[in-house]
Amino acid sequence: MEIALDRLIKHFAEIPFKLEGVYHYTIKPEMSGRENTAPFPGFIFPVRGKARYHFNATPYVAKPGSVIMGGADMQLDKQVLDGKEWEYVCVLYRVFGQENSDISLSHLHTELKIGQSVQLSELLHRLIQVSAKPGVVSAFQQETLFHCILEEAFRCAKSQNESSGKGLFERISEHIQSNHANEISVKELARQYGISENQLYYVFQKQVGMSVGQYLSGYRLDRAKQLLKTTEMPVREVAAAVGYVDALYFSRVFRQKFGVSPSEMRRIQE
């Protein structure tokens, strides 16, 4: 079930909710089963291994790097995958009062992509330890840790969203525009922003429908056109100013884009 992350976070910020239970499970390889979920909504935090879940027939693959949210009283099918033990932490919570939006956590199931977070792992470990202790102090600590876990999960999910979408594109395109006169490689850009070259290609295709190289070339040539219109710099200097060492190559790609040579473009403007 798709839901905008910002809407989900805002909803949790506005509604009263309280921790209901913490459960730590290790399941044998290839185990499967069908049941109904608890009468409360909850989170599945994978620790190791992999399992397939169906919430009301909608499939999710739970594994480290993701968090699965499930609703209350849903039909749940699950199967441990890859022949390895499946370990996870299930945290249930109770929502109080009427939810004043089109989001109902009791009827919601979705997946959050969070990547790897050492802090989240440490918080979950502390929650498991504290939940085993009786008393009001333990209950208070559990509630505090649960809110910290949600904060970290949402922060990581936001970061993952930005790393694959508009936010990342805006940061990289700004870098390209500020450094277009210098040598820029796709490999170095990917390394600098902590993603693979394939991810970088996907981000630019999704946002502007072209590769990083095409975007860089287009920006350089548009900038060159502007310099030809507004300055008297020789064509060779214009080429160098926008990152082209070879003036002949610059003239060739300029003509391919605008249909005229740099010198002809300048005469048109006179």
Side-chain angles (χ1 to χ4, degrees):
M1 181 182 298
E2 294 290 336
I3 181 171
L5 181 60
D6 285 345
R7 287 178 57 223
L8 180 63
I9 296 173
K10 183 174 184 291
H11 191 63
F12 269 96
E14 293 175 344
I15 63 167
F17 63 94
K18 187 178 185 299
L19 182 68
E20 187 65 31
V22 178
Y23 308 92
H24 182 204
Y25 296 109
T26 300
I27 310 299
K28 294 180 180 179
E30 308 304 332
M31 290 290 291
S32 62
R34 171 175 292 185
E35 60 189 29
N36 279 357
T37 61
F40 308 101
F43 292 86
I44 296 171
F45 295 96
V47 176
R48 60 187 173 93
K50 184 189 297 185
R52 180 179 292 111
Y53 284 77
H54 286 80
F55 286 91
N56 287 347
T58 300
Y60 299 96
V61 175
K63 58 184 177 180
S66 67
V67 175
I68 308 297
M69 292 182 63
D73 294 314
M74 291 184 172
Q75 180 180 306
L76 176 64
D77 294 280
K78 53 187 177 181
Q79 180 182 12
V80 179
L81 303 175
D82 292 351
K84 299 177 181 178
E85 285 190 333
W86 163 237
E87 182 181 1
Y88 66 99
V89 178
C90 177
V91 180
L92 303 179
Y93 62 96
R94 181 193 297 265
V95 177
F96 294 91
Q98 186 70 28
E99 296 182 83
N100 298 318
S101 77
D102 57 349
I103 299 176
S104 172
L105 295 175
S106 292
H107 298 90
L108 174 69
H109 52 82
T110 192
E111 178 181 11
L112 303 178
K113 300 286 189 180
I114 63 169
Q116 301 301 317
S117 171
V118 174
Q119 183 175 348
L120 182 60
S121 298
E122 291 175 349
L123 287 169
L124 287 168
H125 181 68
R126 288 171 57 194
L127 180 63
I128 293 168
Q129 290 181 318
V130 170
S131 66
K133 299 177 182 179
V136 293
V137 174
S138 172
F140 178 80
Q141 290 175 323
Q142 290 179 60
E143 202 69 48
T144 301
L145 285 168
F146 178 46
H147 281 76
C148 290
I149 286 168
L150 286 189
E151 179 184 356
E152 177 64 9
F154 289 150
R155 185 195 67 78
C156 291
K158 284 281 289 182
S159 178
Q160 288 290 308
N161 275 10
E162 291 174 356
S163 294
S164 61
K166 187 176 180 181
L168 181 62
F169 167 76
E170 290 176 348
R171 293 197 299 276
I172 297 177
S173 62
E174 182 177 350
H175 174 84
I176 289 174
Q177 293 173 22
S178 299
N179 297 275
H180 68 276
N182 304 321
E183 182 178 350
I184 297 176
S185 73
V186 172
K187 183 177 181 179
E188 179 58 26
L189 278 176
R191 187 201 64 78
Q192 183 174 343
Y193 287 90
I195 59 176
S196 69
E197 293 180 40
N198 285 340
Q199 286 175 301
L200 183 57
Y201 176 83
Y202 172 78
V203 167
F204 272 72
Q205 281 290 335
K206 182 176 180 180
Q207 297 299 323
V208 290
M210 63 182 71
S211 68
V212 181
Q214 290 170 328
Y215 180 88
L216 172 60
S217 177
Y219 183 82
R220 282 173 166 170
L221 293 173
D222 287 339
R223 178 62 180 151
K225 180 180 178 181
Q226 184 180 18
L227 290 175
L228 290 167
K229 289 180 178 181
T230 58
T231 74
E232 297 181 356
M233 294 169 59
V235 170
R236 184 176 297 275
E237 291 183 14
V238 169
V242 297
Y244 287 96
V245 177
D246 188 335
L248 291 177
Y249 176 73
F250 163 70
S251 295
R252 184 163 67 250
V253 295
F254 189 94
R255 180 184 289 275
Q256 289 174 350
K257 179 175 176 64
F258 297 111
V260 295
S261 69
S263 299
E264 291 170 333
M265 175 64 72
R266 173 164 280 162
R267 286 197 293 271
I268 291 172
Q269 304 304 316
E270 294 176 350

